[in-house]
Amino acid sequence: MARTPLMAGNWKMNLNHIEAIALVQKLAYTFNTDDFSALEIAVIPPFTDIRSVQTLVDGDKIALKYGAQDLAKADKGAFTGEISGVMLAKLGCTFVIVGHSERRQFHGEDDQTVNLKVQAALRNGLTPIVCVGEGTEVRNAGDHVAFTLNQLKAALSGVAAGDVANLVVAYEPVWAIGTGEVATPANAQEVCGAIRNQIREVFGSAADQVRVLYGGSMKADNVAALMKEPDIDGGLVGGASLDPDEFVSVCRYRLHP
Ligand code: PGA
């Protein structure tokens, strides 16, 4: 079954809403209908930018998708500082990143939290981009596949089989994030293939529809080789998504020599 590739730009804590408008306008001006029919393209800005991005995308009928970088476990209530899936859905978000390694590392998100956030996303009709991936020590010990599959198992615990086909999983080895040190296509495929196999074992043929992204120093000059791998369906692109020319080039990997 052919899966539509997905390139999602994770802006992290960069660009205010004015800068967000400028970047989305540049992307809208540069991408053409061929781009939008070849793949799904999304931006994942900070919360404070989302309303501006929505207004632009809706007003100009841009085929760009957008989403958020995190969401609360609960849908509403006394949770100062949190943003719920209900609010993100109301803003027209398609995606929400869940369990990014920076959330796990700097905000103490454990597997159970990630699982509750995956459920909160699904409950609100958002597609979670579930992030998994090992750090340097685990990789050096050769335990990267088992470690990553454990994270995935915990993240998807209790998820209904009917919700799985629409999931996105991002394999992001922590040692590759923001370091310029990209995984080799073979190393990325090893884990992305194992991710799909595990989903197939638990949920059956829906695994063929799940998009598995690679993330970690993806750029214009390494994307094409990664995208040739059978189980890599796209990218979660950090640094390279802040530069419109670079992000457009990443999304045009199919045209690279
Ligand atoms: P990077 O970040 O592309 O800057 O390495 C990827 C990510 O953290 O999603």
Side-chain angles (χ1 to χ4, degrees):
M1 181 178 306
R3 295 178 288 273
T4 305
L6 167 65
M7 287 294 170
N10 173 14
W11 295 359
K12 308 195 179 185
M13 195 173 72
N14 294 291
L15 308 183
N16 62 38
H17 73 287
I18 307 287
E19 295 163 332
I21 291 169
L23 177 50
V24 170
Q25 277 172 330
K26 276 187 202 149
L27 294 176
Y29 177 80
T30 314
F31 283 126
N32 54 42
T33 49
D34 285 351
D35 294 312
F36 288 121
S37 56
L39 75 162
E40 229 179 341
I41 304 169
V43 293
I44 317 281
F47 288 131
T48 49
D49 299 358
I50 295 176
R51 175 64 174 161
S52 304
V53 171
Q54 178 196 31
T55 303
L56 192 56
V57 164
D58 283 359
D60 289 357
K61 300 193 170 30
I62 306 167
L64 194 68
K65 307 274 172 69
Y66 54 91
Q69 299 172 15
D70 183 33
L71 82 170
K73 293 178 275 192
D75 286 348
K76 66 172 189 174
F79 301 101
T80 302
E82 294 285 279
I83 306 283
S84 74
V86 177
M87 296 166 176
L88 298 176
K90 190 76 179 163
L91 283 168
C93 288
T94 301
F95 299 105
V96 60
I97 297 176
V98 178
H100 190 280
S101 62
E102 288 150 16
R103 300 291 316 170
R104 295 178 192 258
Q105 187 182 347
F106 303 127
H107 300 271
E109 291 196 5
D110 59 13
D111 284 339
Q112 199 204 352
T113 301
V114 173
N115 177 246
L116 291 170
K117 290 187 172 190
V118 167
Q119 298 195 23
L122 293 170
R123 181 166 74 233
N124 287 295
L126 302 163
T127 296
I129 301 179
V130 184
C131 297
V132 291
E134 83 288 352
T136 311
E137 282 175 25
V138 174
R139 161 73 48 177
N140 290 342
D143 296 332
H144 48 284
V145 173
F147 179 92
T148 303
L149 294 185
N150 267 335
Q151 281 186 329
L152 182 68
K153 186 173 169 212
L156 302 190
S157 162
V159 169
D163 284 331
V164 170
N166 196 33
L167 270 181
V168 177
V169 178
Y171 169 54
E172 297 210 309
V174 178
W175 47 269
I177 295 177
T179 58
E181 190 189 343
V182 66
T184 64
N187 284 345
Q189 165 60 29
E190 179 193 23
V191 184
C192 292
I195 286 170
R196 193 179 314 284
N197 286 341
Q198 175 161 296
I199 296 174
R200 188 175 292 112
E201 275 167 27
V202 180
F203 298 101
S205 61
D208 293 322
Q209 284 162 267
V210 172
R211 285 177 294 179
V212 181
L213 313 184
Y214 167 79
S217 298
M218 191 182 251
K219 293 191 198 64
D221 65 7
N222 58 37
V223 58
L226 288 158
M227 291 301 290
K228 287 202 177 84
E229 296 295 338
D231 288 301
I232 301 179
D233 305 312
L236 187 54
V237 185
S241 72
L242 296 172
D243 174 342
D245 294 332
E246 183 77 12
F247 187 59
V248 168
S249 185
V250 167
C251 294
R252 288 187 173 156
Y253 66 88
R254 66 193 189 283
L255 308 176
H256 295 191

